[in-house]
Amino acid sequence: MASNAAAPFWRSAGMTYITYSNLCANLLRNCLKEPYKSDALSREKVHYTISKWENGKPQKPTIRSDTPEE
Amino acid sequence: MFRHGSRLLTRATAMTWRRPFSTELSAEHSVDSTFVEAWKKLIPNTEPPKTPSAYMNPRPATPSSIPSKLSVNFVLPYSSELSGKEVDMVIIPATTGQMGVLPGHVATIAELKPGVLSVHEGNDVTKYFVSGGFAFVHANSFADIIAIEAVPLDRIDPNLVQKGLTEFTQKLSTASTDVEKAEAQIGVDVHSALNAALTG
């Protein structure tokens, strides 16, 4: 069988498709005019807490957020 | 050695139940009759359960003659820009180049690259800059375009585009690792596409 088509340059550099398309989308958002730019960037903010579990118990949670702790 | 050949051959031909391809979806939901028969024998008083496909609207059938308009669904993760809009043509920025989709286009799946999507309806042309995504064209002249981010061209700031282009061209020449080179190359691609969209 013929080999698969040559991978796109980002795939051969180790990047996944999701990372690539999110990067493209972020670059686009950074080039928008003012009210749209801040709307788009704030729409994409994420805020979540992670707790690792050990021996069946959750450890201290860490907070990940785009906005630094106020 | 070939004594069993004919037996195997008949067994193989007896098992040819060809599953329908997804391009041949029937217009109405078809019930699995063997299941319904077996259910009715065991449990005659209750209705046989419905499957999820019984609740879905069936896909509009492929008309025998080419329809006059293409129905486009253009969606983003946070909003639906066009929903079932009837248009004459859309030009999508596929990785293989600008692809024009007219009613009656062959069923296609295309990956999109950063570029301009234009929707042509009579004399109106609406253009969006799309950062990436996929486009599915179905045989019944429906087109589903899904993009991660898309903006009308007038919301793009040309100064920021120029700044980004020079910044990434410079990063590309100084990049050392594969990942840095890939990111810089992506930056250059996106910004040059933006530039071309604004000036084109």
Side-chain angles (χ1 to χ4, degrees):
Chain A
M1 298 293 284
S3 64
N4 293 329
F9 63 89
W10 39 268
R11 173 78 65 183
S12 22
M15 203 186 283
T16 61
Y17 179 78
I18 303 185
T19 322
Y20 164 71
S21 59
N22 282 339
L23 200 60
C24 289
N26 272 323
L27 291 171
L28 174 58
R29 283 181 206 121
N30 284 329
C31 289
L32 297 179
K33 287 186 184 156
E34 208 10 76
Y36 307 112
K37 181 171 174 178
S38 32
D39 286 344
L41 293 175
S42 63
R43 194 194 309 133
E44 296 296 318
K45 283 199 161 66
V46 289
H47 181 101
Y48 54 93
T49 67
I50 296 184
S51 343
K52 289 206 199 285
W53 289 65
E54 270 169 46
N55 295 328
K57 289 187 182 8
Q59 307 303 310
K60 183 173 188 321
T62 56
I63 302 183
R64 300 279 176 87
S65 170
D66 280 0
T67 57
E69 292 280 15
E70 302 283 12
Chain B
M1 184 170 59
F2 297 107
R3 246 188 323 134
H4 301 293
S6 54
R7 188 161 55 90
L8 288 172
L9 208 55
T10 48
R11 198 197 310 163
T13 50
M15 279 178 61
T16 46
W17 170 65
R18 191 177 64 93
R19 290 186 74 201
F21 291 122
S22 60
T23 44
E24 295 167 9
L25 273 185
S26 55
E28 297 98 34
H29 157 68
S30 57
V31 179
D32 185 354
S33 49
T34 39
F35 173 75
V36 173
E37 298 302 317
W39 179 277
K40 287 203 169 117
K41 274 194 214 142
L42 271 181
I43 314 172
N45 292 329
T46 318
E47 281 295 312
K50 288 197 195 171
T51 55
S53 49
Y55 292 99
M56 285 167 51
N57 289 329
R59 184 184 291 176
T62 308
S64 45
S65 66
I66 298 179
S68 59
K69 295 276 202 186
L70 180 71
S71 310
V72 178
N73 298 313
F74 178 32
V75 292
L76 300 173
Y78 50 87
S79 90
S80 159
E81 293 288 312
L82 302 174
S83 171
K85 183 161 192 250
E86 307 256 316
V87 299
D88 296 324
M89 171 170 79
V90 287
I91 302 188
I92 59 179
T95 45
T96 50
Q98 299 284 103
M99 183 193 296
V101 181
L102 291 151
H105 196 281
V106 65
T108 320
I109 302 183
E111 181 191 343
L112 304 181
K113 65 174 184 228
V116 177
L117 169 86
S118 42
V119 179
H120 299 248
E121 166 70 31
N123 285 329
D124 309 313
V125 179
T126 327
K127 293 193 185 182
Y128 300 88
F129 187 88
V130 161
S131 77
F134 289 89
F136 301 87
V137 182
H138 303 283
N140 54 3
S141 292
F142 269 74
D144 299 322
I145 305 174
I146 36 196
I148 315 274
E149 186 70 59
V151 292
L153 293 183
D154 49 16
R155 294 191 190 173
I156 304 177
D157 186 345
N159 299 326
L160 291 174
V161 174
Q162 280 303 113
K163 231 175 45 158
L165 186 55
T166 46
E167 181 194 332
F168 279 98
T169 334
Q170 198 225 356
K171 273 195 200 163
L172 186 56
S173 48
T174 61
S176 45
T177 67
D178 264 348
V179 179
E180 274 177 34
K181 274 192 217 147
E183 286 178 3
Q185 181 67 52
I186 295 173
V188 168
D189 285 344
V190 174
H191 286 93
S192 1
L194 275 164
N195 223 356
L198 290 175
T199 54

